[in-house]
Amino acid sequence: MAQKRNSDDLRAELQSIADTLEEVLNNSGDKSKAELEKLRSKAEKTLKEARVTLSDASDRLVDQTKEIAGHADNYVRENPWTAVGIGAAVGVVLGVLLSRR
């Protein structure tokens, strides 16, 4: 659920950047210098916020990946023969699929 929310937040942030940049590009011809500076400032602020959001998302992804890897490591240590069996089964399935090409 949290990943869905993070993904939606990131998507909204990127859409906001795109909208701001589109506004700057579309309206740059008929705007005064002060208005252009205001649009530029808005675009810079949105970009900084997006960078923070992306950095936070990246940090969360790294943490989640480490946690999942830790769980997998623990599982393999606790169930080595099951892990070997799963690895062998995956290898057989990949071998069959690749040999059919």
Side-chain angles (χ1 to χ4, degrees):
M1 184 62 116
Q3 259 183 327
K4 173 74 171 145
R5 185 179 52 80
N6 292 338
S7 176
D8 290 344
D9 290 347
L10 187 56
R11 190 172 289 119
E13 195 76 36
L14 292 173
Q15 184 62 46
S16 176
I17 290 172
D19 292 344
T20 302
L21 292 176
E22 185 176 12
E23 181 182 354
V24 169
L25 292 173
N26 289 337
N27 297 324
S28 62
D30 58 345
K31 297 284 184 183
S32 69
K33 187 170 182 166
E35 291 172 322
L36 287 175
E37 189 59 37
K38 183 178 175 184
L39 284 173
R40 181 174 184 244
S41 176
K42 179 181 175 184
E44 287 176 349
K45 179 183 176 212
T46 305
L47 184 57
K48 285 179 186 176
E49 290 170 357
R51 284 185 176 153
V52 168
T53 302
L54 286 171
S55 177
D56 291 346
S58 174
D59 292 344
R60 283 190 302 270
L61 182 61
V62 167
D63 291 343
Q64 289 173 349
T65 302
K66 286 180 182 178
E67 183 179 341
I68 290 169
H71 289 302
D73 185 54
N74 289 338
Y75 180 81
V76 169
R77 289 178 191 275
E78 293 170 5
N79 305 294
W81 290 110
T82 304
V84 168
I86 291 171
V90 169
V92 168
V93 169
L94 286 176
V96 169
L97 291 174
L98 290 174
S99 69
R100 289 187 178 182
R101 285 182 161 212

